[in-house]
Amino acid sequence: VPVVDGVYTMTIKEDLEVMAVFGGIYYTVETREVENGTISANKSLILAGSEDLIIKLSPVEGYYIDENDFVITIYNSDGTSITKRPLTEANYDPAKGYTLKKDEITGNVTLSAEFLPITYSLTYSSSENGVLDGVGQTGEDLVSFGTTKMIDLIADAGYFISSILVNGQSISPKTLVNQ
């Protein structure tokens, strides 16, 4: 750990020229490997107190960043850590990124985030004279982005599937696969 402040004492016995040379304290910025997205920072090395750190969070399609699952850990020079979160309107703009203010950077920085799947509600229903296998006439499911879902449509004896409505729009029963 570099000495930040100090006193140098000397006994003067001749003319002296004393010059103090100060070097910058730099902190590292590391990103942990994450799934379903990427985290990047505008710097990998930052001079203490010099500028804000901008952190970009980029989920892959079908995922999002939960403001409560974004973690910035700052390791102080004594080894202790400070964890910063959550994302707020004051510190996060999806287009620009997360801003970690320069006065908050007091040590090496490690970034991590969890990107969560976007989920959708899938509501099933059928008219009389048939059922949806495993559901009956009504049901609901929570599914993740990109999920492929098979729904068995079973008409009662003497009936057929005359139409299927998806979000109120009719699709042709001819697109069904007979099994």
Side-chain angles (χ1 to χ4, degrees):
V1 177
V3 176
V4 177
D5 297 312
V7 175
Y8 177 69
T9 304
M10 63 185 133
T11 303
I12 312 294
K13 295 184 180 176
E14 61 184 86
D15 290 338
L16 297 175
E17 183 179 320
V18 178
M19 182 172 107
V21 178
F22 298 96
I25 298 173
Y26 286 88
Y27 299 123
T28 60
V29 179
E30 296 180 17
T31 9
R32 293 219 169 120
E33 189 171 325
V34 296
E35 295 180 8
N36 305 312
T38 59
I39 305 173
S40 60
N42 65 333
K43 304 270 183 201
S44 60
L45 199 61
I46 194 160
L47 178 62
S50 66
E51 62 186 297
D52 296 343
L53 182 66
I54 307 299
I55 302 155
K56 293 289 273 182
L57 305 165
S58 305
V60 297
E61 183 182 20
Y63 287 80
Y64 71 101
I65 182 73
D66 180 7
E67 64 270 359
N68 295 314
D69 288 322
F70 174 58
V71 178
I72 299 174
T73 305
I74 302 170
Y75 293 94
N76 294 315
S77 57
D78 65 1
T80 60
S81 65
I82 302 167
T83 300
K84 304 293 289 181
R85 68 160 89 171
L87 302 179
T88 65
E89 286 184 18
N91 64 20
Y92 181 66
D93 175 343
K96 295 178 183 174
Y98 178 92
T99 302
L100 185 60
K101 297 291 185 186
K102 62 185 174 187
D103 58 336
E104 297 178 296
I105 304 169
T106 57
N108 295 327
V109 178
T110 301
L111 305 172
S112 181
E114 181 179 2
F115 295 98
L116 303 174
I118 296 170
T119 55
Y120 300 96
S121 177
L122 182 57
T123 304
Y124 312 95
S125 65
S126 69
S127 65
E128 295 180 5
N129 308 315
V131 295
L132 306 175
D133 190 32
V135 178
Q137 286 190 308
T138 63
E140 191 168 334
D141 224 347
L142 201 58
V143 295
S144 296
F145 173 86
T147 299
T148 300
K149 191 79 173 168
M150 288 180 45
I151 304 168
D152 291 332
L153 311 171
I154 303 168
D156 290 343
Y159 291 88
F160 68 99
I161 302 167
S162 67
S163 68
I164 301 169
L165 301 176
V166 176
N167 288 337
Q169 299 294 314
S170 181
I171 63 169
S172 171
K174 292 179 182 179
T175 61
L176 295 176
V177 176
N178 287 323
Q179 297 185 357

